[in-house]
Amino acid sequence: MSRADSKARQNELRDLRGKLGDLKKEIAESESDRREAADALKESEVAISDANRVLASLAEERQLTETELDRLSADISAARANISASQNRIGELLRLRYKTRNLEAWRLILDAQDPTTASRDLTYYRYLATAQQQLVASLERQLRELSRLAEEIRVRNDQLKQIAQAKVRQKAALESEQAEKQELVNKLTRELTAQRTQLQKLTADEKRLSTLVARLDAIIRQQEARRAKEAARRRAEAAKREQAERAAQARRDGKTDTKPATEPVRQVNRDEPDSSFNGQQFAALKGRLRLPLRGEVIGRFGSPRAEGTLWKGVFIRAASGQPVKAVAGGEVVFADWLRGFGNLIIVDHGGGYLSLYAANESLLKQVGDAVRSGDTIATSGNSGGMADSGVYFEIRKNGQPLDPLGWTG
């Protein structure tokens, strides 16, 4: 990536984060007078998500530090071996010189050797000895430097362990706080149950998510338009092919994705995404996609929910803390808590396609992060007041929900 492209990318990311900040403020202002019982968990759920992300980052950094320490230790061992070999060579040379110096001197006299040649030979021997001494001094300096670096790495590793331990204690405290708040929520169970049974509440939740997705689509389209304008000449042919592919995909979507199911279907998902889809366009993955979490699918797109609305995605039930993986490569465009959906992360796959992962216990990626197919981006949970633990998953194109099971193999 050239410096100009890198700067443009940084500007886009800064612009995206700024607009997301404005969007979150608008959502907060418009809903400040409509607090719900489930909102009592918001602060704790968001804090635990942040702590888990920091812990994961610290674990990776500590592993890299330990690897660097191992490499430095190997370099130190090699340097010590070189020093020992050099010292042995110098010792042997000194012994030989001591044994032969008088004999060589008499030989030079008896053989009437040319004094110039003899002087040159003696100078060579002195040069060799000096070079050996300089080599030892150089290796000793290298050993001291490597020892210093190794000590710095050890100190840094100890600091990382202390930070990780502190974060574990912090997480334990937050979980304790969450348990206390859960007691409060349990006292409000009747109120929360009544809210879930109200069609108006669920409709508002869905409208809220749709509004968020629509705004994100608008932001993404603005950025894509700027990039397309700057690279029009280079991407003209690719744009034509993509347009044709989108038209074909739209026709297929019109035949399959708009037909809702009439009965809830339960099934167990045993597969999860891996890296095999990296580099492929999202539209080409239809029929081969894998759901982001292993578990029981307890709701299906288009089927009635107990509360009176229809599923616009699928809910995969699983124990809390399980890895939630990106179904395809893309960029994180939203990672925050949203009322009715808890800790929500949205990935832009290009071509108007978004994947949404809600109810998470923890969000491990942030806005602007690039993700690959199969990357762990969150952990399962029941944030946002979900009745079950797992992940709620949607696929949308240009803001319209599609049937996720229609995309799986």
Side-chain angles (χ1 to χ4, degrees):
M1 179 181 294
S2 67
R3 183 176 299 178
D5 291 338
S6 176
K7 184 176 181 180
R9 172 65 181 149
Q10 292 175 358
N11 291 336
E12 285 184 0
L13 182 57
R14 190 181 303 109
D15 182 52
L16 173 60
R17 287 175 173 167
K19 291 181 178 179
L20 284 177
D22 294 339
L23 177 56
K24 286 188 286 187
K25 289 179 181 179
E26 291 179 13
I27 292 175
E29 291 173 357
S30 64
E31 297 178 350
S32 59
D33 58 344
R34 290 186 290 157
R35 304 287 294 175
E36 298 176 2
D39 289 356
L41 289 175
K42 175 181 178 180
E43 181 178 353
S44 184
E45 290 173 348
V46 171
I48 286 179
S49 174
D50 292 341
N52 280 334
R53 183 174 63 252
V54 172
L55 284 172
S57 176
L58 282 171
E60 293 179 2
E61 187 175 353
R62 184 170 58 192
Q63 183 176 1
L64 291 174
T65 302
E66 291 173 349
T67 301
E68 179 68 10
L69 180 59
D70 291 341
R71 185 188 67 78
L72 285 173
S73 297
D75 290 345
I76 290 171
S77 297
R80 286 172 175 166
N82 290 335
I83 288 175
S84 178
S86 297
Q87 289 173 336
N88 290 336
R89 290 197 300 272
I90 290 174
E92 183 64 24
L93 179 59
L94 291 174
R95 286 193 295 272
L96 290 174
R97 298 299 299 149
Y98 177 79
K99 291 178 179 179
T100 61
R101 72 173 180 269
N102 292 334
L103 178 60
E104 289 177 354
W106 282 108
R107 185 176 296 153
L108 288 173
I109 297 172
L110 294 175
D111 292 347
Q113 197 171 19
D114 181 9
T116 301
T117 301
S119 175
R120 184 171 61 250
D121 291 341
L122 291 174
T123 301
Y124 169 74
Y125 289 134
R126 287 194 298 272
Y127 173 78
L128 182 60
T130 301
Q132 292 286 355
Q133 292 172 353
Q134 291 176 347
L135 175 60
V136 171
S138 175
L139 289 174
E140 287 177 343
R141 288 194 299 272
Q142 182 182 4
L143 179 59
R144 288 195 297 271
E145 178 64 13
L146 289 174
S147 297
R148 184 187 66 79
L149 292 175
E151 181 61 25
E152 289 183 3
I153 292 295
R154 290 191 188 95
V155 171
R156 178 58 176 158
N157 200 37
D158 291 342
Q159 291 175 348
L160 289 175
K161 289 179 181 178
Q162 293 174 2
I163 293 173
Q165 292 171 357
K167 286 299 180 181
V168 169
R169 292 193 296 269
Q170 178 185 355
K171 180 182 176 184
L174 289 170
E175 289 175 342
S176 175
E177 177 185 350
Q178 187 180 36
E180 294 177 0
K181 290 189 176 182
Q182 187 65 53
E183 293 181 4
L184 172 61
V185 174
N186 290 339
K187 295 179 182 179
L188 301 174
T189 298
R190 292 183 180 180
E191 178 184 349
L192 185 60
T193 301
Q195 290 176 348
R196 287 201 186 100
T197 59
Q198 295 174 0
L199 180 61
Q200 182 178 3
K201 183 263 179 185
L202 289 174
T203 301
D205 287 345
E206 293 173 355
K207 183 178 180 181
R208 186 179 301 112
L209 181 61
S210 296
T211 300
L212 172 62
V213 170
R215 293 292 298 274
L216 288 173
D217 275 336
I219 294 172
I220 292 169
R221 283 197 298 270
Q222 289 175 1
Q223 293 184 344
E224 288 178 347
R226 286 196 295 268
R227 288 195 295 267
K229 184 177 180 180
E230 294 170 359
R233 181 181 60 83
R234 293 175 295 172
R235 301 176 58 182
E237 294 182 1
K240 291 179 181 179
R241 289 195 298 270
E242 184 179 349
Q243 184 178 6
E245 185 175 274
R246 286 184 179 181
Q249 186 62 45
R251 290 194 294 272
R252 290 194 293 271
D253 290 344
K255 294 178 180 179
T256 58
D257 291 332
T258 57
K259 183 179 180 180
T262 57
E263 296 288 339
V265 177
R266 289 174 179 261
Q267 67 182 65
V268 176
N269 176 53
R270 294 185 174 86
D271 297 323
E272 60 182 8
D274 56 30
S275 61
S276 60
F277 294 153
N278 282 327
Q280 301 185 40
Q281 290 188 354
F282 192 86
L285 300 179
K286 187 170 185 179
R288 300 186 293 141
L289 214 62
R290 297 174 184 174
L291 295 177
L293 176 68
R294 292 176 178 174
E296 181 185 4
V297 180
I298 61 173
R300 179 169 179 167
F301 177 85
S303 62
R305 298 177 63 172
E307 298 87 348
T309 59
L310 299 179
W311 288 96
K312 292 188 177 180
V314 295
F315 192 91
I316 307 167
R317 182 162 54 193
S320 294
Q322 301 303 306
V324 177
K325 300 189 175 182
V327 297
E331 179 183 351
V332 177
V333 294
F334 186 87
D336 207 338
W337 193 93
L338 184 68
R339 181 182 295 174
F341 297 91
N343 288 319
L344 169 67
I345 189 166
I346 300 177
V347 178
D348 172 27
H349 302 289
Y353 289 99
L354 302 175
S355 58
L356 294 76
Y357 314 77
N360 298 288
E361 177 188 59
S362 303
L363 304 179
L364 304 183
K365 299 294 183 180
Q366 302 182 67
V367 172
D369 286 350
V371 298
R372 294 162 57 87
S373 174
D375 282 356
T376 300
I377 59 176
T379 58
S380 58
N382 63 343
S383 61
M386 291 290 180
D388 291 289
S389 174
V391 67
Y392 175 67
F393 176 64
E394 286 189 12
I395 297 176
R396 297 208 176 199
K397 181 181 182 183
N398 298 327
Q400 297 302 314
L402 307 177
D403 182 4
L405 298 183
W407 284 68
T408 59

Short mmCIF file of all heavy atoms in Angstrom, two decimals, residues 31 47 62 142 148 166 182 197 221 233 241 252 284 296 303 329 354 369 378 392 402:
data_model
loop_
_atom_site.label_atom_id
_atom_site.label_comp_id
_atom_site.label_asym_id
_atom_site.label_seq_id
_atom_site.Cartn_x
_atom_site.Cartn_y
_atom_site.Cartn_z
N GLU A 31 -33.75 8.07 22.69
CA GLU A 31 -34.30 7.01 23.53
C GLU A 31 -34.09 7.27 25.02
O GLU A 31 -34.33 6.41 25.85
CB GLU A 31 -33.65 5.68 23.17
CG GLU A 31 -33.94 5.26 21.74
CD GLU A 31 -33.25 3.95 21.39
OE1 GLU A 31 -32.42 3.50 22.21
OE2 GLU A 31 -33.57 3.40 20.35
N ALA A 47 -18.49 -3.14 29.98
CA ALA A 47 -17.20 -3.18 30.67
C ALA A 47 -16.56 -4.55 30.60
O ALA A 47 -15.34 -4.68 30.40
CB ALA A 47 -17.39 -2.75 32.13
N ARG A 62 1.99 -11.06 25.21
CA ARG A 62 2.87 -11.82 26.08
C ARG A 62 3.50 -12.99 25.33
O ARG A 62 4.67 -13.30 25.51
CB ARG A 62 2.10 -12.32 27.29
CG ARG A 62 2.99 -13.06 28.31
CD ARG A 62 2.26 -13.32 29.60
NE ARG A 62 1.06 -14.09 29.39
CZ ARG A 62 0.11 -14.28 30.31
NH1 ARG A 62 0.22 -13.73 31.48
NH2 ARG A 62 -0.95 -15.00 30.04
N GLN A 142 28.88 -7.87 22.34
CA GLN A 142 27.60 -8.41 21.86
C GLN A 142 26.89 -9.17 22.96
O GLN A 142 25.67 -9.07 23.11
CB GLN A 142 27.85 -9.32 20.66
CG GLN A 142 26.57 -9.90 20.06
CD GLN A 142 26.86 -10.84 18.90
OE1 GLN A 142 27.99 -11.11 18.60
NE2 GLN A 142 25.81 -11.32 18.29
N ARG A 148 21.57 -7.50 28.17
CA ARG A 148 20.75 -6.34 28.54
C ARG A 148 19.36 -6.43 27.92
O ARG A 148 18.34 -6.19 28.60
CB ARG A 148 21.45 -5.05 28.08
CG ARG A 148 20.73 -3.77 28.50
CD ARG A 148 21.37 -2.56 27.87
NE ARG A 148 21.22 -2.55 26.42
CZ ARG A 148 20.10 -2.18 25.80
NH1 ARG A 148 19.04 -1.80 26.51
NH2 ARG A 148 20.03 -2.20 24.48
N ALA A 166 -4.05 -8.32 36.92
CA ALA A 166 -4.92 -7.22 37.34
C ALA A 166 -6.22 -7.22 36.55
O ALA A 166 -7.30 -6.97 37.10
CB ALA A 166 -4.19 -5.88 37.17
N GLN A 182 -27.96 -8.31 38.24
CA GLN A 182 -28.91 -9.31 37.76
C GLN A 182 -30.02 -9.55 38.78
O GLN A 182 -31.16 -9.83 38.42
CB GLN A 182 -28.16 -10.63 37.48
CG GLN A 182 -29.02 -11.70 36.82
CD GLN A 182 -29.46 -11.28 35.43
OE1 GLN A 182 -28.65 -10.91 34.61
NE2 GLN A 182 -30.76 -11.34 35.18
N THR A 197 -43.51 -9.19 25.58
CA THR A 197 -44.76 -9.63 24.96
C THR A 197 -45.46 -8.51 24.19
O THR A 197 -46.46 -8.74 23.54
CB THR A 197 -45.71 -10.18 26.03
OG1 THR A 197 -45.97 -9.16 27.00
CG2 THR A 197 -45.09 -11.39 26.72
N ARG A 221 -21.60 3.63 1.66
CA ARG A 221 -21.74 4.03 0.26
C ARG A 221 -20.98 5.32 -0.03
O ARG A 221 -20.40 5.48 -1.11
CB ARG A 221 -23.23 4.19 -0.09
CG ARG A 221 -23.94 2.87 -0.30
CD ARG A 221 -25.26 3.08 -1.03
NE ARG A 221 -26.18 3.90 -0.24
CZ ARG A 221 -27.05 3.41 0.62
NH1 ARG A 221 -27.12 2.11 0.82
NH2 ARG A 221 -27.85 4.21 1.30
N ARG A 233 -10.46 4.63 -13.16
CA ARG A 233 -9.81 4.06 -14.34
C ARG A 233 -9.35 2.63 -14.08
O ARG A 233 -9.54 1.75 -14.92
CB ARG A 233 -8.60 4.93 -14.73
CG ARG A 233 -7.87 4.43 -15.97
CD ARG A 233 -6.68 5.31 -16.28
NE ARG A 233 -5.74 5.32 -15.18
CZ ARG A 233 -4.82 4.38 -14.99
NH1 ARG A 233 -4.77 3.35 -15.82
NH2 ARG A 233 -3.98 4.45 -13.99
N ARG A 241 -18.14 -6.10 -13.95
CA ARG A 241 -18.37 -7.49 -13.58
C ARG A 241 -19.17 -7.58 -12.29
O ARG A 241 -20.07 -8.41 -12.15
CB ARG A 241 -17.03 -8.21 -13.41
CG ARG A 241 -16.29 -8.45 -14.72
CD ARG A 241 -15.18 -9.47 -14.53
NE ARG A 241 -14.19 -9.00 -13.58
CZ ARG A 241 -13.12 -8.30 -13.92
NH1 ARG A 241 -12.89 -7.97 -15.19
NH2 ARG A 241 -12.25 -7.92 -13.00
N ARG A 252 -31.73 -13.91 -7.91
CA ARG A 252 -31.80 -15.12 -7.08
C ARG A 252 -32.39 -14.79 -5.72
O ARG A 252 -33.18 -15.57 -5.17
CB ARG A 252 -30.40 -15.71 -6.92
CG ARG A 252 -29.87 -16.34 -8.20
CD ARG A 252 -28.64 -17.21 -7.91
NE ARG A 252 -27.51 -16.42 -7.46
CZ ARG A 252 -26.61 -15.88 -8.29
NH1 ARG A 252 -26.71 -16.06 -9.60
NH2 ARG A 252 -25.61 -15.17 -7.82
N ALA A 284 -20.63 -14.71 -3.88
CA ALA A 284 -20.27 -16.03 -4.42
C ALA A 284 -20.32 -17.12 -3.36
O ALA A 284 -20.16 -18.30 -3.70
CB ALA A 284 -18.86 -15.97 -5.03
N GLU A 296 -27.48 -24.98 18.81
CA GLU A 296 -28.83 -25.30 18.33
C GLU A 296 -29.48 -24.04 17.74
O GLU A 296 -29.53 -23.00 18.39
CB GLU A 296 -29.68 -25.84 19.47
CG GLU A 296 -31.09 -26.21 19.02
CD GLU A 296 -31.97 -26.63 20.18
OE1 GLU A 296 -31.52 -26.56 21.33
OE2 GLU A 296 -33.13 -27.02 19.93
N SER A 303 -40.03 -17.13 10.44
CA SER A 303 -40.96 -17.89 11.27
C SER A 303 -41.45 -17.03 12.43
O SER A 303 -40.77 -16.11 12.86
CB SER A 303 -40.30 -19.16 11.80
OG SER A 303 -39.20 -18.83 12.62
N GLY A 329 -14.62 -12.55 5.12
CA GLY A 329 -13.73 -11.44 5.34
C GLY A 329 -14.42 -10.09 5.15
O GLY A 329 -15.41 -9.98 4.41
N LEU A 354 -23.90 -7.00 4.68
CA LEU A 354 -23.49 -6.87 6.07
C LEU A 354 -23.86 -8.15 6.81
O LEU A 354 -24.88 -8.77 6.52
CB LEU A 354 -24.19 -5.70 6.76
CG LEU A 354 -24.02 -4.29 6.17
CD1 LEU A 354 -24.89 -3.31 6.94
CD2 LEU A 354 -22.57 -3.86 6.23
N ASP A 369 -11.36 -2.44 12.31
CA ASP A 369 -10.54 -3.65 12.24
C ASP A 369 -10.90 -4.47 11.00
O ASP A 369 -12.08 -4.67 10.70
CB ASP A 369 -10.75 -4.52 13.49
CG ASP A 369 -10.08 -3.95 14.72
OD1 ASP A 369 -9.30 -2.99 14.56
OD2 ASP A 369 -10.33 -4.45 15.83
N ALA A 378 -16.06 -12.21 18.61
CA ALA A 378 -16.86 -11.99 19.81
C ALA A 378 -16.97 -13.32 20.55
O ALA A 378 -16.48 -14.36 20.09
CB ALA A 378 -18.25 -11.44 19.46
N TYR A 392 -27.34 -13.99 18.17
CA TYR A 392 -28.37 -13.71 17.18
C TYR A 392 -27.66 -13.23 15.92
O TYR A 392 -26.86 -12.29 15.95
CB TYR A 392 -29.33 -12.64 17.69
CG TYR A 392 -30.36 -12.23 16.65
CD1 TYR A 392 -31.34 -13.11 16.22
CD2 TYR A 392 -30.34 -10.96 16.10
CE1 TYR A 392 -32.26 -12.75 15.26
CE2 TYR A 392 -31.27 -10.57 15.14
CZ TYR A 392 -32.23 -11.47 14.73
OH TYR A 392 -33.14 -11.11 13.78
N LEU A 402 -31.84 -11.01 4.85
CA LEU A 402 -31.88 -12.22 4.04
C LEU A 402 -31.90 -13.43 4.96
O LEU A 402 -31.51 -13.34 6.13
CB LEU A 402 -30.66 -12.29 3.12
CG LEU A 402 -30.39 -11.08 2.23
CD1 LEU A 402 -29.10 -11.28 1.45
CD2 LEU A 402 -31.55 -10.82 1.29
#
